Amino acid sequence: MSNVAGTKANREEETAFLAMEQVLGVDIKLADAGTGDKKPDGAWAYGDGQERRGIVEVTSPPATSLMADWARAKKAGRPQAESGSIPLRLNELAQVCSEMLAEEWACDNVDKLLAQSADERHLFLFARAYKDGNYFYRLSDFYDGGEAEHVDDIVLPPGISDVWFRGRARRDSEQPLGAWDLWLARFHADSGWYRYVVQIEERHLPPPNPGIADDRVPAGWRLPKDRALDPVGD
């Protein structure tokens, strides 16, 4: 695999990469460069002398109609909003996760990971719609120091080592373009559930999708990491 120097991850990918780098202590490279070549989104090697390699696919449950609604709202100058309700399914979060991982969109992403040689294969999920966001938030919440909702272990697809769920984010209201906290839940095939809170610098992220939201910062302010893989042979 090789990417053109200077290729950047999109906002969702970069958020996932920055979070995983903090947790795993690795340096993630952009593996597909948006080429549509069925490669995973990111790849890394562990610096432990064991030559272990990990890969990750960053994706979300489909929300095509919602994204179109938001784009139309932006074009018309209206606030973007989403309303509705979902069944709480208390104490069924493991079942919700298992059902999600069995859906066609998830299986397609799992197949992409399984097609590549790696020691670890990670699936990083973020939510675009309220329904999925509600479940993802509950997976990672600490409930302000109280007891979190119990979540049973899940069975991951064979060959997948980890699934990550991006939970809620909290910004500093006085510095909305500073650092923000991100809650994560991670299920590891061998050792079960983990929860983390990581800090993401807005300046290190690409701008939001211009079709959905305008960027509020001047050109050149953002400094996302260059994640291009070195050309083959270098």
Side-chain angles (χ1 to χ4, degrees):
M1 292 181 291
S2 65
N3 291 338
V4 177
T7 298
K8 299 293 193 298
N10 65 35
R11 187 175 178 87
E12 288 81 11
E13 290 169 344
E14 188 64 28
T15 300
F17 294 163
L18 289 171
M20 292 179 67
E21 285 180 335
Q22 290 185 49
V23 173
L24 300 177
V26 297
D27 182 24
I28 299 177
K29 297 296 185 180
L30 187 63
D32 68 358
T35 59
D37 56 5
K38 304 299 183 181
K39 300 293 185 183
D41 292 317
W44 67 91
Y46 286 97
D48 54 10
Q50 299 182 34
E51 298 184 353
R52 292 185 300 132
R53 180 172 177 268
I55 56 177
V56 61
E57 182 69 14
V58 182
T59 189
S60 69
T64 305
S65 60
L66 176 63
M67 296 297 100
D69 288 345
W70 284 0
R72 284 192 292 269
K74 180 198 171 184
K75 187 175 182 179
R78 294 183 282 106
Q80 300 165 17
E82 182 185 6
S83 61
S85 62
I86 62 169
L88 286 178
R89 299 187 65 175
L90 292 175
N91 297 315
E92 293 185 14
L93 287 178
Q95 183 177 341
V96 171
C97 294
S98 297
E99 292 171 0
M100 185 178 299
L101 292 173
E103 294 178 5
E104 183 177 359
W105 66 268
C107 293
D108 288 345
N109 283 284
V110 167
D111 289 344
K112 183 187 293 188
L113 290 169
L114 295 178
Q116 304 299 317
S117 175
D119 300 290
E120 294 182 6
R121 298 179 179 89
H122 297 240
L123 190 63
F124 189 104
L125 304 180
F126 63 96
R128 297 187 188 274
Y130 168 76
K131 174 178 73 70
D132 302 307
N134 179 280
Y135 292 132
F136 290 2
Y137 294 170
R138 285 162 55 194
L139 283 168
S140 58
D141 270 347
F142 287 92
Y143 295 87
D144 295 326
E147 183 178 354
E149 182 177 357
H150 173 73
V151 188
D152 291 331
D153 286 350
I154 58 178
V155 178
L156 297 184
I160 301 301
S161 62
D162 300 79
V163 176
W164 302 69
F165 301 87
R166 174 180 164 176
R168 68 179 74 250
R170 182 171 63 194
R171 296 178 181 273
D172 185 337
S173 59
E174 296 183 358
Q175 292 185 313
L177 292 178
W180 44 278
D181 294 327
L182 176 66
W183 275 252
L184 297 167
R186 170 193 176 199
F187 186 82
H188 186 273
D190 294 328
S191 53
W193 287 103
Y194 296 86
R195 291 181 175 89
Y196 311 97
V197 181
V198 299
Q199 193 168 80
I200 305 291
E201 291 283 349
E202 178 64 34
R203 194 171 192 184
H204 294 162
L205 291 175
N209 185 328
I212 296 175
D214 295 321
D215 198 10
R216 296 179 292 167
V217 303
W221 181 83
R222 296 184 180 277
L223 298 171
K225 186 176 181 178
D226 182 353
R227 296 187 179 276
L229 286 171
D230 294 331
V232 174
D234 284 6

